[in-house]
Amino acid sequence: MERENIEPNNLARAIVVGVQLNNAPGFEYAMEELRNLADACGIETVGELTQKAERVNSAHYIGSGKVEELKAIAAELDASTVIFNDELSPSQIRNLESALERRVIDRTILILDIFAERAQTKEAQLQVEVAKLQYMLPRLVGLRESLGRQGGGSGLKNRGAGETKLELDRRRIEERISHMQQDLEKLVARRQVQRKQRQKNEVPVVALVGYTNAGKSSLMNALLAAYEPESGKRVLAKDMLFATLETAVRSISLPDRKTFLLADTVGFVSQLPHHLVKAFRSTLEEVSEADLLIHVVDAANPEFEQHIAVTRETLKDLGADGIPAIYAYNKADLLPDADYPRIDGDIVYLSAASGRGVEELVKLIRDRVFGDYVEGEVLIPYDQGRLVAYFNEHADVRSTEYEETGTRLSLSCRAADYERYRELFVRVN
């Protein structure tokens, strides 16, 4: 399989192309983001061509006049590659490469390539590879112009050499996808066992979500530094697109014995390839099964409202739009007024880099996931001393007194524990 035809890693100079449909807002930012994606793949953007239209040209994505203009610009700027802002159909790739005599790639393959570079765990690598192969499968004709014309007639023996090779490639890809999906199912089953164990322990799950590079991983590290300084379980945090692909889960223990699990997930981006969303769906199940979402927003980015909209739409695709959410407006230190840390309804303004605002964020988390806690006093008979140890570990014990009939604890505990040991409670506030 000649994968180099779609791999952008070795490309040097490119022109980015986009169509703005019906003056849709956010187009300029989408083009800027496309240039950033190209840069993340090591591609130098040397030119840009845009067109306003009511609909995308079905044959060439852009109009015939723009195709000629694009070809001239590419020749003038010595650009070997043209990158399109939207996912191209197989016929569009074939037609454009023929007309431009240049390598043609789209936004989807750029994102897939970044994911392929950043994937570290076996599961993430398998997910990305499945997504890339699913992208390639319908585009084999456009990606392999060297195969020549396909032969006519029916039956394999009547086909041209190009079509025979094409069918072999297709079969090989389908078999590889099938094998990798089987491997993924085993990894997913293992994670589901872990998730069920957490649910059995009734530990709330809080998931960090948001646009790529909003600071989710930095915020997780800030929470770990504040509440788990000895854990040494920091996550990778870099100022780059899609720095984190793996879902990292860390336990956060608060001073009053309340504990929740914090999950850091892959960042979202506009026009996130559906192949990728589908491939990473198992990883993103942490989001859809969370008790609370922390929607991390880069408050200093002028396009933050667009980022919020994209994240909400992606959460809807994942079936997670009904989960309660609070908003962490990160990088508040970069805002002109820099009025932080502060809480404004469901929003907390903070800076993950400095750690300021983390305490306020935890206050919001407490209110949402520990709202069902019960306060009172429990009298535990001496022959059930194990329960004293249990409450000391799983509840916030304010005082302990030893009486004639047993140990009296003044505490705050989960409603589930209250129901389980209701007969031992002598007072409920």
Side-chain angles (χ1 to χ4, degrees):
M1 188 68 202
E2 296 179 2
R3 291 182 55 188
E4 67 274 12
N5 281 339
I6 65 167
E7 292 285 358
N9 278 336
N10 298 323
L11 308 180
R13 298 167 64 84
I15 297 172
V16 293
V17 181
V19 173
Q20 184 179 17
L21 298 176
N22 302 311
N23 291 314
F27 177 72
E28 290 182 1
Y29 178 74
M31 293 301 294
E32 177 186 348
E33 191 172 70
L34 183 65
R35 293 192 294 271
N36 290 336
L37 290 168
D39 182 64
C41 286
I43 302 173
E44 179 187 5
T45 301
V46 295
E48 178 175 314
L49 183 129
T50 61
Q51 181 179 24
K52 293 184 178 181
E54 293 183 0
R55 65 181 64 87
V56 167
N57 184 288
S58 59
H60 292 89
Y61 179 75
I62 53 177
S64 57
K66 285 289 184 181
V67 172
E68 292 302 318
E69 182 182 348
L70 179 57
K71 185 175 181 180
I73 294 174
E76 180 183 352
L77 297 177
D78 190 28
S80 61
T81 306
V82 183
I83 306 173
F84 289 79
N85 189 43
D86 296 292
E87 185 170 311
L88 300 174
S89 68
S91 61
Q92 286 172 334
I93 292 177
R94 184 167 61 252
N95 295 339
L96 284 166
E97 288 197 334
S98 175
L100 298 173
E101 299 177 343
R102 297 286 190 284
R103 183 178 283 113
V104 170
I105 57 179
D106 59 20
R107 184 187 189 94
T108 296
I109 197 62
L110 281 181
I111 295 175
L112 289 172
D113 191 70
I114 294 172
F115 270 62
E117 282 190 11
R118 309 279 159 79
Q120 298 295 320
T121 66
K122 181 180 179 181
E123 183 175 9
Q125 291 167 352
L126 284 171
Q127 288 168 326
V128 175
E129 187 65 18
V130 166
K132 292 187 78 170
L133 292 175
Q134 288 174 334
Y135 170 88
M136 290 168 59
L137 198 56
R139 293 168 173 80
L140 287 177
V141 177
L143 297 172
R144 293 192 60 107
E145 291 220 293
S146 61
L147 296 180
R149 289 190 174 275
Q150 298 187 24
S154 60
L156 191 62
K157 65 179 181 180
N158 291 324
R159 299 182 181 183
E163 186 169 4
T164 303
K165 184 68 166 67
L166 196 65
E167 289 299 325
L168 290 172
D169 280 346
R170 182 176 285 112
R171 194 175 305 128
R172 192 177 301 124
I173 289 176
E174 289 172 342
E175 289 174 354
R176 179 153 176 74
I177 289 175
S178 177
H179 288 315
M180 288 192 295
Q181 286 177 331
Q182 290 174 14
D183 291 341
L184 275 172
E185 286 174 4
K186 296 175 184 176
L187 294 172
V188 170
R190 188 182 309 160
R191 190 173 346 96
Q192 286 176 338
V193 170
Q194 296 171 342
R195 189 181 296 121
K196 286 180 180 178
Q197 183 61 43
R198 294 201 300 265
Q199 291 172 342
K200 183 178 178 181
N201 293 335
E202 298 174 344
V203 180
V205 176
V206 179
L208 295 162
V209 299
Y211 212 76
T212 183
N213 213 27
K216 296 182 299 301
S217 299
S218 295
L219 185 54
M220 172 176 264
N221 286 338
L223 283 158
L224 288 170
Y227 297 98
E228 302 287 344
E230 305 300 324
S231 70
K233 293 185 176 180
R234 302 293 189 269
V235 295
L236 175 67
K238 287 187 177 182
D239 184 15
M240 63 193 300
L241 297 175
F242 304 115
T244 303
L245 295 187
E246 288 75 29
T247 296
V249 180
R250 301 289 187 268
S251 178
I252 304 292
S253 299
L254 304 179
D256 58 1
R257 299 282 184 180
K258 293 182 175 70
T259 299
F260 64 90
L261 294 174
L262 186 64
D264 181 22
T265 61
V266 62
F268 303 144
V269 69
S270 60
Q271 297 170 264
L272 193 65
H274 67 276
H275 306 291
L276 209 50
V277 173
K278 184 177 179 181
F280 273 76
R281 186 172 294 275
S282 60
T283 301
L284 293 170
E285 283 176 0
E286 290 290 354
V287 174
S288 60
E289 297 189 13
D291 298 285
L292 177 69
L293 302 181
I294 300 177
H295 187 155
V296 184
V297 179
D298 179 355
N301 192 308
E303 301 292 334
F304 76 90
E305 291 182 350
Q306 172 71 8
H307 294 178
I308 292 174
V310 169
T311 300
R312 285 175 174 167
E313 188 62 30
T314 308
L315 290 172
K316 185 177 180 180
D317 291 341
L318 293 168
D321 52 325
I323 299 174
I326 57 179
Y327 291 80
Y329 276 43
N330 188 28
K331 307 181 187 180
D333 53 320
L334 302 180
L335 295 175
D337 53 6
D339 181 17
Y340 83 104
R342 62 186 171 91
I343 297 175
D344 184 6
D346 291 334
I347 301 173
V348 55
Y349 292 85
L350 53 81
S351 169
S354 67
R356 289 185 61 195
V358 168
E359 187 176 335
E360 286 76 6
L361 174 62
V362 169
K363 181 182 184 304
L364 283 182
I365 294 173
R366 277 181 195 276
D367 293 343
R368 299 308 172 85
V369 299
F370 300 116
D372 64 343
Y373 267 57
V374 175
E375 292 192 11
E377 291 182 359
V378 60
L379 184 62
I380 302 173
Y382 286 117
D383 62 355
Q384 297 188 45
R386 62 178 182 82
L387 293 181
V388 175
Y390 176 84
F391 280 115
N392 275 317
E393 182 178 354
H394 295 96
D396 179 21
V397 177
R398 279 75 181 271
S399 66
T400 303
E401 296 178 6
Y402 300 99
E403 301 182 358
E404 184 177 340
T405 57
T407 306
R408 182 185 293 266
L409 304 178
S410 177
L411 51 73
S412 171
C413 70
R414 294 176 298 187
D417 283 336
Y418 167 72
E419 292 297 332
R420 188 178 299 139
Y421 303 109
R422 180 193 289 265
E423 71 278 3
L424 298 177
F425 277 80
V426 295
R427 183 177 65 84
V428 177
N429 296 342

